Amino acid sequence: MDKIVLRLEAAATPTAPALLLRPWRPADSGELVEVYRDAALRRWTGAAVHDEASAAQWVRDQQQGGETGSRLAFAVVESRADGEEEGRILGHVVLKGAVPGAASAEVGYWTAAHARGRDVAPRALRTLTDWAFASFGVGGLTRLELLHQVDNPASCRVAQKCGYELTGVLAADPPAHSADGHLHARERAL
């Protein structure tokens, strides 16, 4: 599959600046270490980012997923009026398993501590969701799934705000999933 390099944008709102969703790059590693110092983020994500080397490896993993098309991961940053980025990393969104012909895929997200409460995760997730259905829907994508731990009410609110309905509870399955999870899904509008 050809390397996919994308830049997605979420328009500004009356209370929030525009967002740019762009591929992760090696220069993000230092800032990623700072973002992962947040205990809440470490609790909800499975990534082991604790120093510059592990952050660089995490970025390489995201880039490799983009090259194969198996994992399309985006850093979320503020966007200026000219479409260029501005400021610190606000979060991350990812589309996993969206290959031509697949009926379903998975989405995920996290928000940096300094960006929480600013509508970053819902806006970025909506942008990714709309793009995924527009880009892969013709090939068969009809459903996006989202999984988060049951004791993460903030992720539940983001999912529901973006039209992802709670469809069930999945039992813990260590080591991949150490706690029970909420499964949310959103169907493509026909």
Side-chain angles (χ1 to χ4, degrees), residues 17-72:
L19 299 177
L20 173 66
L21 285 60
R22 54 119 172 117
W24 286 92
R25 53 190 182 216
D28 295 327
S29 296
E31 189 173 353
L32 192 59
V33 172
E34 293 302 315
V35 168
Y36 264 88
R37 292 205 168 137
D38 173 35
L41 180 62
R42 288 193 315 272
R43 178 177 181 204
W44 304 123
T45 64
V49 174
H50 51 274
D51 59 17
E52 189 85 28
S54 59
Q57 182 59 55
W58 186 88
V59 169
R60 282 192 300 275
D61 291 345
Q62 305 317 301
Q63 292 174 324
Q64 183 179 17
E67 290 167 3
T68 64
S70 64
R71 180 180 182 89
L72 303 174

Side-chain angles (χ1 to χ4, degrees), residues 63-127:
Q63 292 174 324
Q64 183 179 17
E67 290 167 3
T68 64
S70 64
R71 180 180 182 89
L72 303 174
F74 301 89
V76 179
V77 296
E78 286 186 17
S79 178
R80 297 187 317 225
D82 62 5
E84 292 301 312
E85 70 180 87
E86 176 177 302
R88 304 181 334 187
I89 291 171
L90 304 176
H92 164 77
V93 290
V94 61
L95 176 65
K96 302 181 240 178
V99 296
S104 68
E106 183 181 349
V107 295
Y109 53 86
W110 53 253
T111 307
H114 64 269
R116 292 189 193 123
R118 295 178 45 205
D119 206 31
V120 170
R123 293 174 58 224
L125 180 59
R126 278 189 213 104
T127 299

Side-chain angles (χ1 to χ4, degrees), residues 4 28 37 54 58-59 69 100 114 118 134-136 145 147 149 152-153 160 170 172-173 179 187:
I4 298 173
D28 295 327
R37 292 205 168 137
S54 59
W58 186 88
V59 169
H114 64 269
R118 295 178 45 205
S135 297
F136 296 96
E145 296 180 338
L147 179 64
Q149 291 181 11
N152 186 344
Q160 292 172 336
L170 302 178
D173 186 19
E187 304 292 331

Side-chain angles (χ1 to χ4, degrees), residues 109-166:
Y109 53 86
W110 53 253
T111 307
H114 64 269
R116 292 189 193 123
R118 295 178 45 205
D119 206 31
V120 170
R123 293 174 58 224
L125 180 59
R126 278 189 213 104
T127 299
L128 181 68
T129 298
D130 293 346
W131 173 80
F133 282 136
S135 297
F136 296 96
V138 174
L141 184 65
T142 60
R143 177 184 171 98
L144 289 173
E145 296 180 338
L146 185 155
L147 179 64
H148 67 81
Q149 291 181 11
V150 295
D151 58 347
N152 186 344
S155 275
C156 214
R157 284 190 302 274
V158 168
Q160 292 172 336
K161 205 174 188 181
C162 294
Y164 284 79
E165 298 297 324
L166 180 61

